[in-house]
Amino acid sequence: DKTRKLNALKRYLIQNELSTDLMFRVNRNARYAMKMKAEYETERDLELLRLVSEPLRIEMHEEMHFPLLQFHPFFAKYIESAPQVMRMLCHEGLAPGATMYAKGDCIFTMGEVAECMLWMSTGEAGYYWGTHHGGSQASETVHPGEYISEPPLWMEWTHKGDFRATEISQVVSLK
């Protein structure tokens, strides 16, 4: 089944005359995504979790997500004054599961309207200030537990640079 899917992907990429470099990157990413899907269950894949009571899922999401949110000073303080709000934020505000990016993938680009705050869950990404699709050296490197793109939580925001995965990474978003 895996071979059939990869062959179908290869045919599709060739039919659409993509560059060799892009075909390689798409293929590498697809292989990694299949590996991750085989190794790790996501909440979306677990039908039984939909049957678990809402209060238990809220508690589960709080335990899963708060360790990441506590790195941010505002959220670390907010848990003390409004734990019930933070519980719901962990349950409803964070996208279910992290988004996976391959090395070199663009997470956002300069000029793009920002829709959410991002946390690095795994991997590493570089922020290239004031560039558009480029710059060879990151202005800032974002590591697991660190966040980027906070302004969309408080105001309308347009990204001021590019953000690219410098290795295979997982990113969690908060809207």
Side-chain angles (χ1 to χ4, degrees):
D1 188 45
K2 177 181 172 182
T3 304
R4 183 184 59 74
K5 288 178 179 180
L6 288 170
N7 285 335
L9 176 62
K10 182 178 179 181
R11 279 192 309 277
Y12 175 80
L13 299 174
I14 291 170
Q15 288 170 355
N16 285 285
E17 301 176 358
L18 297 178
S19 68
T20 305
D21 178 62
L22 183 55
M23 284 194 287
F24 172 77
R25 289 178 21 234
V26 169
N27 188 33
R28 179 180 62 193
N29 188 271
R31 286 176 184 275
Y32 180 75
M34 286 193 307
K35 179 182 178 229
M36 294 303 288
K37 186 169 176 61
E39 291 178 11
Y40 300 99
E41 296 293 335
T42 65
E43 191 168 329
R44 286 174 245 165
D45 297 335
L46 296 173
E47 187 178 321
L48 189 56
L49 267 181
R50 291 183 219 128
L51 303 176
V52 171
S53 71
E54 185 82 0
L56 276 176
R57 283 188 291 129
I58 290 169
E59 190 176 335
M60 181 183 81
H61 290 144
E62 178 185 25
E63 200 166 299
M64 289 167 55
H65 298 306
F66 185 72
L68 199 57
L69 292 175
Q70 72 183 354
F71 287 107
H72 189 280
F74 174 79
F75 296 118
K77 275 299 222 188
Y78 204 51
I79 189 71
E80 295 170 13
S81 60
Q84 69 285 2
V85 175
M86 283 301 294
R87 194 169 295 119
M88 291 311 293
L89 180 67
C90 289
H91 180 60
E92 294 180 353
L94 289 162
T99 302
M100 195 264 308
Y101 294 96
K103 180 179 179 177
D105 280 357
C106 185
I107 299 168
F108 61 73
T109 61
M110 184 174 99
E112 185 179 331
V113 174
E115 297 179 0
C116 57
M117 183 175 182
L118 304 172
W119 269 270
M120 291 301 296
S121 180
T122 64
E124 199 172 88
Y127 182 72
Y128 304 85
W129 175 261
T131 63
H132 192 65
H133 299 300
S136 57
Q137 193 163 3
S139 306
E140 292 287 331
T141 301
V142 181
H143 303 93
E146 296 179 337
Y147 54 89
I148 190 167
S149 187
E150 178 184 2
L153 293 182
W154 321 113
M155 66 181 87
E156 291 184 17
W157 184 257
T158 302
H159 292 298
K160 308 301 182 207
D162 294 349
F163 190 48
R164 292 187 171 277
T166 53
E167 58 184 56
I168 294 172
S169 303
Q170 292 186 335
V171 178
V172 175
S173 60
L174 172 64
K175 290 189 177 196

